[in-house]
Amino acid sequence: MAERGLLKIVNVVGGRPNFPKIAPILEAMAEVPTVTALLVHTGQHYDHEMSRIFFEDLKIPEPDFFLGVGSGSHAQQTARVMVEFEKVLEKERPDLVVVVGDVNSTMACALTAKKLCIPVAHVEAGLRSRDWTMPEEINRIVTDTISDLLFTPSRDADQNLLQEGVSPQKIHFVGNVMIDSLLTYLPKTQERDTLERFGVAPGNYATMTLHRPSNVDNRRVLAGIIDAISDFSRTQRILWPVHPRARKMLEELKLSHMLNEANGLKLIDPLGYLDMLALNRSARLILTDSGGLQEEATVLGVPCVTLRDNTERPITVEAGANRLAGNDPDRIRSAFSSALNGNGRKIRIPELWDGKAAERIVDVLSRLSQ
Ligand code: UD1
C-alpha cells in the first residue's frame, strides 16, 4: 500500500465487452474517497462503434492512458499491450490492477502487473468453457491462475476455481457486473427510437451477432451458418450488426453473395450499447456466439440460441434462457424452432445478478486499505 488508508487502482479496458463491465466499477470506486482510480484503455478495439460510443453511452470517464495497440496476431497484440502497459505501471506504481473479462488485453495486463509484483484483481473470474481452442479460455485460465483476488459472477465459477486448487480466501462471489450496466440503462432504452430506425416492432424480429474465429474464419462453417440463418430469415426478420471480423471474413471467404438469398436478414453496422440493448430487450429471439449476450438475454427474458458447442456460462442454460446449437446447420435449424416454441421453459434470473455486483467488488477492495 502506497500510504496507509489510500489505495491507487489501475483499471484496464481493451475491447468492446470490457466497457459495460468497467463502467459500474468506476462509478462505485468514485464513491470511495480513499480510492484513486485510474483507467487504461489498451486500444485493442479502436473503431468509433467498437469503443468510443460505449464511453459515451455508459458515461465512462476519459482514459488516463490510451495505449493504442490496435489489431494484430495474438502474439503481436499481447506483446504490444505488455510493453506499453509496463510503462504505465512503472510510472504510476499502483497498489492494485483490476482487469475484467477474457480478452487479450485482460491477460496481457494481468501478466505485466504480476511480473512487477503488483497485485491483480480479476472481475468475471472462474468461467470455463473447457474449450482450449478458444483464445478466451487461455486468457481466462492464465489470468485466474496469477490473480490475487477473483471476483466471480456465479457459483459454478467458484467451483471451477476451487477444483483448480485456488485458495477459497481469494474467491469472492459478487454476481454479474455486466448486469449492473444492463439494469442501470434498461429504462433509458425506452426513450430511444432504435426500433423505428430499423423498421421493426417489439417481438417481430430476432437479433444476431457472430464473431468467434471458430464460426467466422472457416468457409464451410460460416457458409453453413448463413445457410441456416437464410432459411430462418424467410419467416423471421433478423437484424445482424456485423462485427468487423465477420465483415472482413464474409468478403475474404467470398460468401457475401449468400446473403442475397436471405430476404428477412438485414446487415447493419455494429451498434453502441444503448441501441443494442434497446433491440435485444424487444427481440423475439437472440442468436449469438457472444458470451455477454447469453447473459443479457437471460436477464431480459429473451430466448437465446448460442452458435457454439460449449459455453463458459452454463448458468444461462440452467436458467432456461439459452440453448447451445453449435454450428451445424441442421442443429441450428432445430434450435430455432424449439427456442421459438419455448417448450414451456421459464427463465430464472441467476443469484446476485441484481445490479449491485460493482458495489460488492469495491466493498472488498476498499477493505484492502484498512
Ligand atoms: C475480441 C476478443 C473477444 C471478444 C471480442 C468482442 C480476444 C482474443 N478476443 O475479439 O473475446 O468477444 O473482441 O468484440 O481478445 N477490428 C476492427 N476494428 C476494431 C477492432 C477490431 O476493424 O475496432 C477488426 C480487425 O480486423 C481485427 C479483427 O477485427 O483484426 C479482430 O479484432 P481482435 O480484437 O483481434 O479480436 P475480436 O475478434 O474483436
Side-chain angles (χ1 to χ4, degrees):
M1 236 43 62
E3 210 179 304
R4 188 153 174 76
L6 299 179
L7 196 65
K8 185 177 187 181
I9 302 178
V10 164
N11 298 278
V12 176
V13 288
R16 184 169 68 176
N18 295 160
F19 305 126
K21 294 171 194 164
I22 212 69
I25 296 175
L26 290 175
E27 210 181 308
M29 284 182 181
E31 298 291 311
V32 184
T34 50
V35 168
T36 304
L38 298 174
L39 179 62
V40 173
H41 185 345
T42 67
Q44 175 171 344
H45 287 169
Y46 42 85
D47 288 345
H48 175 83
E49 61 275 15
M50 296 294 287
S51 173
R52 182 77 234 158
I53 194 166
F54 287 81
F55 278 73
E56 291 163 11
D57 281 359
L58 293 158
K59 301 190 174 43
I60 302 174
E62 284 300 310
D64 300 280
F65 297 90
F66 182 73
L67 308 184
V69 300
S71 302
S73 70
H74 285 279
Q76 287 166 341
Q77 196 171 58
T78 307
R80 273 191 232 129
V81 173
M82 290 185 73
V83 169
E84 296 307 317
F85 190 56
E86 188 172 51
K87 294 176 195 164
V88 174
L89 294 182
E90 295 283 16
K91 178 168 182 284
E92 294 295 335
R93 282 276 150 196
D95 301 302
L96 181 76
V97 167
V98 172
V99 295
V100 297
D102 56 15
V103 300
N104 282 347
S105 301
T106 308
M107 180 194 69
C109 291
L111 259 177
T112 312
K114 276 309 275 186
K115 294 270 178 131
L116 293 175
C117 298
I118 298 168
V120 176
H122 183 207
V123 175
E124 205 186 80
L127 299 183
R128 298 289 182 267
S129 66
R130 324 262 173 227
D131 176 358
W132 284 85
T133 64
M134 242 186 131
E136 294 80 4
E137 183 73 354
I138 300 165
N139 293 342
R140 289 188 278 264
I141 289 174
V142 171
T143 306
D144 285 344
T145 305
I146 61 176
S147 289
D148 302 271
L149 284 168
L150 297 156
F151 292 110
T152 59
S154 47
R155 299 265 184 209
D156 56 293
D158 292 24
Q159 286 311 314
N160 291 336
L161 293 169
L162 292 169
Q163 273 163 20
E164 289 168 18
V166 174
S167 147
Q169 280 80 34
K170 288 185 174 183
I171 305 171
H172 299 267
F173 170 47
V174 291
N176 190 329
V177 80
M178 213 183 57
I179 302 306
D180 293 9
S181 283
L182 184 145
L183 295 176
T184 303
Y185 288 98
L186 197 57
K188 299 200 172 45
T189 61
Q190 261 155 346
E191 302 150 15
R192 295 181 79 82
D193 63 352
T194 313
L195 272 66
E196 293 87 72
R197 272 193 283 128
F198 291 107
V200 290
N204 83 351
Y205 64 95
T207 55
M208 160 163 148
T209 75
L210 201 64
H211 74 283
R212 296 265 159 235
S214 55
N215 281 336
V216 303
D217 287 6
N218 176 299
R219 190 169 201 281
R220 186 189 51 79
V221 172
L222 184 55
I225 293 175
I226 295 178
D227 194 41
I229 303 290
S230 295
D231 284 354
F232 187 47
S233 77
R234 294 203 178 95
T235 51
Q236 178 65 63
R237 302 190 67 179
I238 307 172
L239 290 177
W240 179 11
V242 189
H243 186 282
R245 180 183 205 106
R247 174 85 65 187
K248 195 171 80 177
M249 294 318 294
L250 280 170
E251 281 159 27
E252 258 181 56
L253 301 173
K254 303 200 178 0
L255 289 173
S256 304
H257 67 277
M258 286 185 76
L259 302 167
N260 302 334
E261 312 286 309
N263 294 338
L265 176 66
K266 187 168 172 182
L267 274 63
I268 55 180
D269 285 336
L271 295 173
Y273 184 78
L274 293 173
D275 278 339
M276 193 62 188
L277 185 55
L279 284 183
N280 285 333
R281 83 174 289 170
S282 300
R284 188 172 178 212
L285 186 69
I286 294 175
L287 319 172
T288 192
D289 60 5
S290 138
L293 258 177
Q294 298 168 47
E295 299 178 335
E296 291 178 337
T298 303
V299 175
L300 293 172
V302 177
C304 180
V305 171
T306 295
L307 305 175
R308 287 173 50 191
D309 285 316
N310 51 60
T311 176
E312 60 289 338
R313 287 145 165 113
I315 194 163
T316 58
V317 178
E318 285 151 31
N322 191 14
R323 284 174 170 76
L324 298 182
N327 54 24
D328 170 74
D330 287 337
R331 255 182 88 195
I332 297 174
R333 285 187 190 92
S334 84
F336 285 159
S337 48
S338 357
L340 286 180
N341 296 331
N343 290 350
R345 283 201 197 180
K346 272 193 90 138
I347 298 177
R348 184 179 56 75
I349 301 206
E351 189 184 356
L352 298 192
W353 291 23
D354 60 357
K356 297 195 169 80
E359 259 174 55
R360 292 183 199 104
I361 291 169
V362 174
D363 191 45
V364 172
L365 295 182
S366 52
R367 274 188 261 135
L368 295 176
S369 62
Q370 287 163 8

